[in-house]
Amino acid sequence: MGVHGLTTYLRENERLLSTTLNLPSSSSDPIPIVIDGWSFIYDVYRNSNLPWVYGGEYPEFYDLVAVVVNAWIKVGLKIFFVFDGPTPQLKFSTVVSRLGQSHVQPSLLFFRTSPVSRGTARFLNENRIIPPLAYTACISALKNLRDSTDAVEVHFADEEGDPYAVELAGKLGAYVVGNDSDFVVLNTEGYLGYIPLEEMMWHVPISLEVTSHEEDDGGFQEVRKPKSKRRPVADKKFGRGIIPPDGDGLTLSFVVYKPDSLAAHLNIPVTLLPLLGALVGNDLSRQTDPDRRTVQSLFFDRQLSLSQRITRVASTIQTILSPSTQKRKILKHQVGSVMDLIDRAVNQLLTRLNTPLGTGEIDIIVEKIVEATLQYAIPKRDDADMLAHDLQSPQVCALHPPSACSLLPLLSRRVEAGASDDSEIESEGQQNAVKIRAQYLAAFRDGQFSPKLLDILSSGTFWPRIFLENPDVETVSRSIGRPIREWIYSVLDNAVGLPETLDEEIEHESNKAAFEGDEEDLDEIIDVVESESETELVGDDLLAPLKGELYRLHGSDNEDPSIAEAAPHSPPRPPVVSEYLRRGTRVAQEEVEVKPINELFVSVSLPPYSGFIPVVSFSLEKRMTVFLRALESDVAPVRSLPKEHIIPVLAVRWVVRTLNTRAEETKSKEREKERWTKREAACLLAMFNTPSQSCSGLAPQDSPTTVIDRNVQLTAQIVQSFESIEHLSQALLLTNTLPSSAHRFSGKVFHNSLMASQAFNPEMVSSDLLGASTFGLEHAFNEDRLTQKSKRAKKGTKNKLQADVPRGSGLFELLTTVAA
């Protein structure tokens, strides 16, 4: 992630570019740090050596999150976690590519490798996939810590987390901690610098080994010099990484990279670091179509190392901006705008090509560089005097006023529709819309509304988590998750509205008409002033005019309202959500039309929906009824369960019912084999027993557990069911009523139980859990395979005994046998 090769460049020049800090420090004030949430999740799980192949070890991961955070607090840090919001549309192709490389391909390789080879530590380490419920478990752990100490805060970005984290660090006067080199390119006033997670080092105090004179010395006395009476022995419990070793008195050291230091080293203005990152290659500029080469392959020779590429780009920018160079150029060749700078840099980097590119091809490259540069833009706000304590309870956004918060419009479609009414008195529908917007906003800021649900509201997309599953069968994201997501889409559309889907041709003509003739020069002049230092800042904000240039290139999502009104409007189609699922061995887009909520109500025998009050505004009891009916589990045994057990039981019931329905519809032997057994359901539910009912035999074993294909598929099905059901509860604002239980699931325990040799034992799980999971579904379970083997063995033994026994025992039969 980040700028291609910049992490390597920083390591190679660490002595020149970084400073080292040691904690605890002499200051009594806590040091604020902003943590990139996803970098934290990846780094904790990678350094923990927890197995991933079984589906995730979330109880241990949950505890490790608390251990790391408490250790940081102990050395004097105040911690602000930042997690990504909805995925920007510009990064869709990057996300698809990453999912294919880091999720689909490792899963394919796993199922194409022999059981012996894929069970080795090396194979599992090289093909690691982050467990799908790690995010949920981490959020649960952090919220628990946040409620117990003032040293932890959790924030959720309006969009991508990197700019938000740096902006937050600027407000707090803090560092940003993560594993993304973008943090040394992003910059704002008050930002103290970037700390790589991989560069953190824990130290245990040196212990002193004192020789005991009471030991038996055999009559001899050892002669020591005075200075050798005590010999320091270095404790081995230290290491690089964020997980602290055991022991007291730990100290933490880390290196800090500052954007100013990097810019000074490269001899370019710090405000042009974003342009350098775009030219070298970041998440946007490195995107390419399958039939085209990347921009960077046109810029650089293959022989250039990653560090040499960075030096080459910096030298190119420096040459263009150098006052001595400008003096030798005639006026028409001087750098007059940001776009002029980008255009000249691109053309200069392309001079190495033997065959020049056409003007249109160069314009496409320039446009891509502009977009890649704009992702680093952090606009200056007038609310710079916001105090740190205001961040804990923001009205709308912790950093931005409501007018500048990009999240608020996603939740305001129904509010704006109601505001267009000419009625002087605010209608009840308008009041409901305002209330729902506030509830969803508060839920998101509190970690009770997944960013994946915001993707639906932001871009009309959904990105199910892809994990280890059989690539030769239909993905569980479609077979298990989609029927639940159809309810989620309808509930969200009913509550706040989804993005409208316009005809592509009409939309293109609309954009063309809106911007045709608008050729006003929106560039801003760069003053190239000769000074003692060529790295002096040449402009306050060099990214601002690029946005204006993008209007002329292909339009913008944030048009001027007066222009947009002049564009022709086309009748909207029914809302459509684009799901990005695994299809075979790749990630593909599939469109799902959002069904009217009244149609879904009828399908589960709910009373007809009047359409007057949004479903989210129903009473808690009615919303709970909708939730259970949607999952076809509105039965008394489920309702009577403790709230922490409801989602695990619903997850089992949904998988069992879905697979049984598929088997009955197709009459296929393969689908018949997919059905769960009661023993498999009991193995899962046993993990959610109360402590008094827990089974000691289900504890994780130290020895590796054999991974078989069926158990992998069972895990994929239940994890997908967990995630989808929790998302539905969040859409219906039921999170406080139905708390998450993801952090109690252990994939290794599940696999160990499935591999046990004993048949189904009712004592494996409490009667309430088992009864609720099987109520009304007795016919949907398959027969236990161990029971089938036992029956076949008994039948075979009986047939053998019958064959060995003589047919008669009379005298005639005896004489017949003797005569024979």
Side-chain angles (χ1 to χ4, degrees), residues 109-150:
L109 185 60
F110 180 89
F111 278 90
R112 297 294 185 263
T113 305
S114 67
V116 175
S117 299
R118 73 188 187 188
T120 62
R122 179 177 179 179
F123 179 92
L124 295 176
N125 185 56
E126 292 177 348
N127 297 279
R128 180 183 300 270
I129 305 175
I130 191 70
L133 300 181
Y135 172 84
T136 304
C138 181
I139 295 299
S140 298
L142 293 178
K143 289 175 64 177
N144 186 46
L145 290 167
R146 180 194 62 186
D147 295 340
S148 61
T149 177
D150 295 333

Side-chain angles (χ1 to χ4, degrees), residues 390-402:
D390 295 332
L391 302 174
Q392 299 179 0
S393 56
Q395 295 294 325
V396 174
C397 179
L399 297 180
H400 315 130

Side-chain angles (χ1 to χ4, degrees), residues 514-706:
F515 295 100
E516 188 175 3
D518 185 22
E519 298 296 336
E520 181 183 357
D521 186 6
L522 300 177
D523 287 347
E524 186 174 304
I525 300 299
I526 301 179
D527 297 326
V528 182
V529 181
E530 186 172 357
S531 61
E532 296 180 358
S533 173
E534 292 186 0
T535 63
E536 186 176 350
L537 188 67
V538 297
D540 292 334
D541 185 7
L542 298 183
L543 301 185
L546 299 185
K547 297 179 180 178
E549 187 64 24
L550 281 183
Y551 281 108
R552 292 193 293 156
L553 291 172
H554 59 76
S556 172
D557 292 333
N558 300 318
E559 305 99 323
D560 181 39
S562 61
I563 298 177
E565 290 177 359
H569 292 279
S570 60
R573 292 166 46 194
V576 172
V577 176
S578 297
E579 298 182 341
Y580 288 83
L581 313 175
R582 178 189 65 80
R583 185 187 296 170
T585 59
R586 62 188 180 92
V587 176
Q589 175 185 352
E590 296 181 6
E591 289 191 350
V592 178
E593 187 170 309
V594 179
K595 298 179 180 179
I597 193 69
N598 57 330
E599 181 179 324
L600 293 178
F601 269 45
V602 172
S603 67
V604 293
S605 302
L606 281 168
Y609 176 64
S610 63
F612 184 69
I613 300 177
V615 177
V616 179
S617 296
F618 286 4
S619 65
L620 176 61
E621 178 64 25
K622 289 184 178 180
R623 279 182 284 134
M624 192 68 184
T625 300
V626 172
F627 176 73
L628 293 176
R629 289 287 182 90
L631 299 173
E632 302 183 53
S633 293
D634 189 12
V635 293
V638 173
R639 284 184 174 271
S640 62
L641 288 172
K643 60 182 182 180
E644 63 271 13
H645 289 164
I646 291 180
I647 288 183
V649 168
L650 289 176
V652 172
R653 289 179 60 89
W654 181 259
V655 172
V656 170
R657 181 187 295 275
T658 301
L659 296 181
N660 178 66
T661 302
R662 285 158 53 90
E664 291 179 345
E665 290 175 350
T666 61
K667 305 298 182 181
S668 167
K669 291 184 178 180
E670 293 299 324
R671 293 285 175 88
E672 182 70 22
K673 293 178 181 178
E674 288 181 353
R675 294 195 305 159
W676 279 44
T677 66
K678 286 187 177 180
R679 178 178 176 275
E680 290 167 340
C683 290
L684 176 77
L685 294 172
M687 285 180 288
F688 301 95
N689 285 331
T690 59
S692 60
Q693 298 169 327
S694 60
C695 302
S696 58
L698 296 178
Q701 305 296 322
D702 294 333
S703 59
T705 301
T706 303

Side-chain angles (χ1 to χ4, degrees), residues 6 77 121 278 333 353 388 402 496 509 606 621 663 734 763:
L6 184 54
L77 294 175
H333 291 300
L353 297 178
V496 294
E509 292 297 325
L606 281 168
E621 178 64 25
L734 292 172
E763 296 182 359

Side-chain angles (χ1 to χ4, degrees), residues 158-171 176 182-192 259 270-271 274 372-383 399-400 404 540-547:
D158 303 336
E159 199 171 57
E160 192 174 10
D162 293 357
Y164 189 97
V166 173
E167 189 173 358
L168 178 61
K171 299 284 187 183
V176 171
D182 281 341
F183 290 125
V184 79
V185 174
L186 290 158
N187 195 22
T188 190
E189 184 179 356
Y191 175 43
L192 297 184
V270 68
T271 50
T373 305
L374 279 175
Q375 72 164 328
Y376 298 109
I378 300 179
K380 293 184 178 181
R381 306 293 182 187
D382 297 331
D383 58 336
L399 297 180
H400 315 130
D540 292 334
D541 185 7
L542 298 183
L543 301 185
L546 299 185
K547 297 179 180 178

Side-chain angles (χ1 to χ4, degrees), residues 253-306:
S253 65
F254 47 81
V255 296
V256 181
Y257 297 97
K258 297 184 178 181
D260 292 336
S261 300
L262 176 61
H265 181 73
L266 295 173
N267 204 20
I268 63 174
V270 68
T271 50
L272 291 182
L273 284 178
L275 175 57
L276 178 136
L279 291 171
V280 173
N282 57 23
D283 291 345
L284 295 184
S285 65
R286 294 180 66 201
Q287 296 177 6
T288 183
D289 297 330
D291 56 343
R292 292 185 179 180
R293 291 191 293 173
T294 62
V295 172
Q296 284 65 42
S297 66
L298 301 175
F299 286 166
F300 309 112
D301 293 324
R302 293 183 178 180
Q303 292 78 9
L304 288 180
S305 66
L306 297 178

Side-chain angles (χ1 to χ4, degrees), residues 254-554:
F254 47 81
V255 296
V256 181
Y257 297 97
K258 297 184 178 181
D260 292 336
S261 300
L262 176 61
H265 181 73
L266 295 173
N267 204 20
I268 63 174
V270 68
T271 50
L272 291 182
L273 284 178
L275 175 57
L276 178 136
L279 291 171
V280 173
N282 57 23
D283 291 345
L284 295 184
S285 65
R286 294 180 66 201
Q287 296 177 6
T288 183
D289 297 330
D291 56 343
R292 292 185 179 180
R293 291 191 293 173
T294 62
V295 172
Q296 284 65 42
S297 66
L298 301 175
F299 286 166
F300 309 112
D301 293 324
R302 293 183 178 180
Q303 292 78 9
L304 288 180
S305 66
L306 297 178
S307 297
Q308 289 173 333
R309 292 184 177 189
I310 294 175
T311 304
R312 166 94 189 277
V313 172
S315 176
T316 300
I317 295 175
Q318 180 187 358
T319 301
I320 296 173
L321 292 179
S322 174
S324 58
T325 303
Q326 292 297 312
K327 287 181 178 180
R328 296 194 298 268
K329 301 290 184 180
I330 61 177
L331 184 62
K332 65 178 182 178
H333 291 300
Q334 290 181 341
V335 178
S337 67
V338 180
M339 287 301 301
D340 190 14
L341 171 62
I342 295 177
D343 186 79
R344 291 184 59 180
V346 167
N347 278 278
Q348 189 161 334
L349 290 171
L350 291 174
T351 55
R352 76 173 194 87
L353 297 178
N354 296 326
T355 304
L357 299 180
T359 304
E361 293 176 300
I362 295 178
D363 289 343
I364 293 175
I365 295 176
V366 170
E367 179 182 347
K368 180 171 291 188
I369 296 301
V370 170
E371 291 179 341
T373 305
L374 279 175
Q375 72 164 328
Y376 298 109
I378 300 179
K380 293 184 178 181
R381 306 293 182 187
D382 297 331
D383 58 336
D385 58 344
M386 179 183 290
L387 300 177
H389 62 75
D390 295 332
L391 302 174
Q392 299 179 0
S393 56
Q395 295 294 325
V396 174
C397 179
L399 297 180
H400 315 130
S403 59
C405 180
S406 61
L407 181 62
L408 198 60
L410 309 182
L411 304 171
S412 301
R413 293 187 179 95
R414 294 284 183 251
V415 176
E416 294 172 354
S420 62
D421 192 357
D422 295 334
S423 175
E424 297 181 359
I425 303 177
E426 188 176 20
S427 65
E428 184 176 351
Q430 174 75 357
Q431 294 176 359
N432 286 331
V434 173
K435 181 180 179 181
I436 292 172
R437 179 180 67 179
Q439 289 175 321
Y440 275 152
L441 188 61
F444 174 69
R445 298 299 186 194
D446 194 45
Q448 298 183 7
F449 193 83
S450 173
K452 289 191 173 294
L453 298 182
L454 276 184
D455 285 330
I456 304 171
L457 303 177
S458 172
S459 56
T461 61
F462 191 84
W463 304 78
R465 301 194 193 279
I466 300 175
F467 191 60
L468 190 65
E469 62 174 341
N470 189 347
D472 299 324
V473 300
E474 183 181 14
T475 176
V476 295
S477 299
R478 185 189 300 110
S479 60
I480 302 296
R482 178 172 289 176
I484 301 178
R485 291 197 299 272
E486 288 179 347
W487 275 90
I488 296 173
Y489 302 153
S490 297
V491 168
L492 292 178
D493 185 44
N494 173 257
V496 294
L498 299 187
E500 292 184 354
T501 304
L502 299 176
D503 185 78
E504 293 181 0
E505 295 182 1
I506 298 178
E507 187 177 11
H508 175 74
E509 292 297 325
S510 174
N511 290 335
K512 182 178 179 180
F515 295 100
E516 188 175 3
D518 185 22
E519 298 296 336
E520 181 183 357
D521 186 6
L522 300 177
D523 287 347
E524 186 174 304
I525 300 299
I526 301 179
D527 297 326
V528 182
V529 181
E530 186 172 357
S531 61
E532 296 180 358
S533 173
E534 292 186 0
T535 63
E536 186 176 350
L537 188 67
V538 297
D540 292 334
D541 185 7
L542 298 183
L543 301 185
L546 299 185
K547 297 179 180 178
E549 187 64 24
L550 281 183
Y551 281 108
R552 292 193 293 156
L553 291 172
H554 59 76

